[in-house]
Amino acid sequence: MKYKDTQLLIIPGLGGSGVDHWQSFWLQKFDSSIRVNQENWNKPQLKDWLTNLNKAILRIDGPIILVAHSLAVSLVLHWVNTYTNSNIKGALLVAPADVDSPTHTPESVRGFAPMPLAKLPFPSIVVASENDEYISLERAEYFAKKWQSEFINIGLKGHINSDSTLAFWEEGQAILAQLINKIP
């Protein structure tokens, strides 16, 4: 990586990331990766999840790149509205779940609404799929514009999760490298 001692902070969404999820494969591949754990993956509470994310960030001494999937994307945006930490150098925001939309997401995530729309204070890339059941492509692009993130459409990859059978998701690793190159 561009930065010596940069940590990838892997932040799973609703349900956690199972063994077949690309985030779990990245934890195996990158020695510099750490996973944020939540006490209840299936009944998310914003306040508890925010506290756990912030604790994980505070435990890392050095540069951090956030790697969030699904519900964790809104968690990152809520974290930015609540906390600050100069160690955060960038964020890879994959398949954001539209927490504002009862059509796209379950009631259990409504506590994460409304989706924060403020500009992110670090470089970021939003990765979305054309056939993600949890967000429309247009809505994902709208969020990226509000956050002033680069937007990448990776085609028909579903929710970019275990069901997408991406394993080490080499395309995602290339996008991560693009993000790292954006970091001043």
Side-chain angles (χ1 to χ4, degrees):
M1 286 200 193
K2 183 176 179 180
Y3 286 96
K4 186 178 184 333
D5 301 323
T6 298
Q7 294 286 310
L8 294 181
L9 189 57
I10 306 290
I11 314 167
L14 185 66
S17 296
V19 295
D20 294 329
H21 197 287
W22 61 269
Q23 284 186 317
S24 297
F25 281 91
W26 283 20
L27 281 164
Q28 294 171 33
K29 179 179 176 81
F30 297 112
D31 291 336
S32 61
S33 63
I34 299 168
R35 175 186 162 115
V36 173
N37 287 306
Q38 300 294 349
E39 292 176 26
N40 194 332
W41 288 111
N42 297 314
K43 293 183 181 175
Q45 299 295 317
L46 179 58
K47 181 180 174 192
D48 296 340
W49 280 37
L50 270 175
T51 298
N52 288 335
L53 174 57
N54 195 55
K55 284 179 183 176
I57 289 169
L58 291 174
R59 281 193 293 269
I60 299 171
D61 183 26
I64 303 166
I65 294 177
L66 306 174
V67 180
H69 178 260
S70 190
L71 182 60
V73 172
S74 64
L75 177 64
V76 166
L77 272 294
H78 283 288
W79 182 88
V80 166
N81 281 352
T82 308
Y83 300 98
T84 186
N85 188 310
S86 62
N87 285 343
I88 307 296
K89 301 301 179 190
L92 182 62
L93 307 170
V94 180
D98 192 348
V99 296
D100 299 328
S101 171
T103 303
H104 290 98
T105 54
E107 186 62 33
S108 63
V109 304
R110 216 59 64 227
F112 287 66
M115 178 72 84
L117 299 175
K119 174 189 180 295
L120 289 170
F122 40 72
S124 58
I125 297 176
V126 172
V127 181
S129 165
E130 294 175 16
N131 62 336
D132 188 337
E133 64 184 294
Y134 295 101
I135 193 167
S136 69
L137 190 65
E138 296 76 22
R139 186 83 162 146
E141 190 169 12
Y142 167 77
F143 287 146
K145 283 180 184 170
K146 289 294 188 180
W147 303 331
Q148 294 188 14
S149 302
E150 181 179 346
F151 178 75
I152 298 178
N153 171 357
I154 61 167
L156 301 172
K157 298 278 172 50
H159 191 48
I160 316 174
N161 60 5
S162 298
D163 293 341
S164 303
T165 60
L166 300 170
F168 288 96
W169 191 33
E170 288 79 6
E171 180 182 21
Q173 292 179 49
I175 295 168
L176 175 63
Q178 285 179 315
L179 173 64
I180 290 168
N181 288 331
K182 291 172 156 282
I183 299 170

